[in-house]
Amino acid sequence: MAAEFRDFLQRLIERGELRRVSEQVDLRQLSARVAASPRALWFERVKGYDMGVVSGILGSRNRMAASLDCDHRDIGKSFLRRLQATHRPVMVPTGPVKEVIRTGKDVDLTALPVPLVSRLDGGPYITSAIGVSKDPEFGRNVGMYRLMIRTGRETSIDLVSASDLKMFYDRAFAAGKPLPFAVAIGVHPSLLMGAAHMAPAGQDEYELAGGLAAEPVQLVKCETVDLEVPASAELVLEGELLPVGWTEDEGRFGDFTGFVGPVKWNPVFRVNAITHRKDAIYYALHMPDEVDYLVSPPLEGSGWQALANAGITAKAVYAPQSAGCNFHLYASISKRPGEGKNAVLALLSLKRVKHVIVTDDDVDIFSPAALEPALAYRVRPARDLIVLDEARGSHLD
């Protein structure tokens, strides 16, 4: 499987999942058009900008399956299997992302075609970036963070939730130092999944991405900070998180739950350099559906693993998009006495999972037409329901 962003776009075109739009479009129309489209859209000409925009490329289970070379029912199993054979990243001297280099006064974030996704958002948000940072003790971290454009050189960054980057920033802030930071936009979904996986501190997400892509990620050094970014990315922003603390307003934001989150106080990312391809394509990850589907392979993979650790034979695991691919997790199992409740407890141990449904292996959990009758005719609530109070959930619930 080729781990290049553009190869993935071509694969979606061949599968009828991505349509190229050749007429000139207004940036203000992009989000609405993507929301209404059954396919992902590639806007080749955006009025007033030099870059085209692609959006919606992870907006369905079939598109996620295309990134893992599997059927959509198997994205969790494929994700888990690929992580069994990780590949260390390799450094290369240069790459397509270095074709254009802008630094200092030549940096202008407003020249990027960043659309307003939700009409109540506090500003245009960069939603598809993987963020790279380092810590002297824990090493390199790659994650996904939302960035609200504030000026031509600065964005806000959401660091309220617990993350490795928040820990790194806490340590730098306590020392009164800026934290070097870089973001890459327009990378293969394997990198997005690796970054979104919430791996333990010290685990290199580039290695995870190499496993998901079945080949090593090629990296290049940044121009102005001591960080490494994917050589084939469409666009990279380099700079630092300023040691100002949680002092600038960030939000509102239409989150993956489908609700609009509040204004928060957050740190500031100052951009000192932009590098990109000559014919760069800006990837605008569309909220909320692309985030939902992006986290479904890791969560379903974790579900398969949790059941296996409990000694339970699973037939299928499914995180439905109607619950953000976060809060609900379904499983059908080859059940032995008592294992139904064991399976429920195992799946409820996973982060963010709130409601679990476990069925016998003759129920198609991907089909509401099969699942609803099973709930109606095969469940006795007094015997079959389990309620665990005060367990960990999600702050976005």
Side-chain angles (χ1 to χ4, degrees), residues 131-370:
V132 187
S133 58
K134 281 183 181 177
D135 179 84
E137 179 179 351
F138 294 99
R140 181 169 57 201
N141 178 69
V142 184
M144 290 194 71
Y145 315 93
R146 72 191 198 208
L147 305 165
M148 187 182 81
I149 294 179
R150 298 178 57 84
T151 70
R153 289 280 303 277
E154 293 181 347
T155 79
S156 302
I157 180 169
D158 183 26
L159 288 185
V160 174
S161 304
S163 66
D164 289 345
L165 179 61
K166 182 179 183 299
M167 177 179 65
F168 292 4
Y169 180 72
D170 281 338
R171 291 157 66 93
F173 178 60
K177 297 179 180 179
L179 180 69
F181 188 61
V183 301
I185 301 168
V187 297
H188 189 270
S190 58
L191 278 158
L192 298 175
M193 284 186 281
H197 184 39
M198 299 181 181
Q203 170 71 64
D204 189 352
E205 287 83 2
Y206 283 142
E207 289 190 21
L208 300 181
L212 294 171
E215 61 182 45
V217 177
Q218 293 189 344
L219 302 177
V220 291
K221 279 286 187 181
C222 287
E223 297 292 313
T224 60
V225 290
D226 182 25
L227 294 169
E228 303 81 29
V229 291
S232 63
E234 296 292 317
L235 173 73
V236 165
L237 311 179
E238 303 177 10
E240 54 194 16
L241 303 185
L242 302 181
V244 297
W246 285 258
T247 57
E248 300 295 336
D249 60 319
E250 181 264 330
R252 297 177 173 261
F253 182 68
D255 221 317
F256 77 89
T257 57
F259 293 93
V260 176
V263 176
K264 304 177 182 179
W265 298 105
N266 265 311
V268 172
F269 173 39
R270 176 171 292 164
V271 180
N272 298 322
I274 298 178
T275 70
H276 62 83
R277 293 172 178 254
K278 289 181 179 178
D279 59 344
I281 306 164
Y282 182 81
Y283 170 35
L285 183 147
H286 186 75
M287 297 292 295
D289 47 325
E290 284 199 83
V291 168
D292 292 349
Y293 288 115
L294 178 61
V295 300
S296 56
L299 181 57
E300 290 176 21
S302 297
W304 283 99
Q305 186 67 64
L307 293 173
N309 290 343
I312 296 168
T313 301
K315 179 181 179 181
V317 178
Y318 175 41
Q321 195 265 341
S322 56
C325 299
N326 270 268
F327 295 134
H328 291 185
L329 195 58
Y330 305 160
S332 64
I333 65 171
S334 300
K335 185 177 65 178
R336 293 173 294 187
E339 286 190 342
K341 291 186 177 180
N342 285 25
V344 169
L345 296 173
L347 296 175
L348 282 174
S349 71
L350 300 176
K351 187 174 182 180
R352 289 184 177 171
V353 174
K354 178 180 178 180
H355 295 149
V356 164
I357 296 176
V358 174
T359 74
D360 292 317
D361 58 9
D362 63 330
V363 178
D364 182 1
I365 58 175
F366 295 92
S367 169

Side-chain angles (χ1 to χ4, degrees), residues 72-145:
H72 82 88
R73 293 169 177 256
D74 297 324
I75 56 177
K77 282 198 296 186
S78 181
F79 180 90
L80 196 62
R81 183 178 65 253
R82 287 171 180 268
L83 287 189
Q84 305 309 308
T86 59
H87 295 275
R88 290 185 177 180
V90 296
M91 295 300 301
V92 295
T94 190
V97 77
K98 298 288 191 178
E99 291 174 349
V100 177
I101 300 174
R102 305 185 190 278
T103 59
K105 294 181 179 179
D106 292 330
V107 171
D108 183 11
L109 297 174
T110 66
L112 303 179
V114 185
L116 192 70
V117 182
S118 303
R119 64 184 180 86
L120 295 179
D121 284 356
Y125 269 91
I126 297 172
T127 51
S128 64
I130 62 167
V132 187
S133 58
K134 281 183 181 177
D135 179 84
E137 179 179 351
F138 294 99
R140 181 169 57 201
N141 178 69
V142 184
M144 290 194 71
Y145 315 93

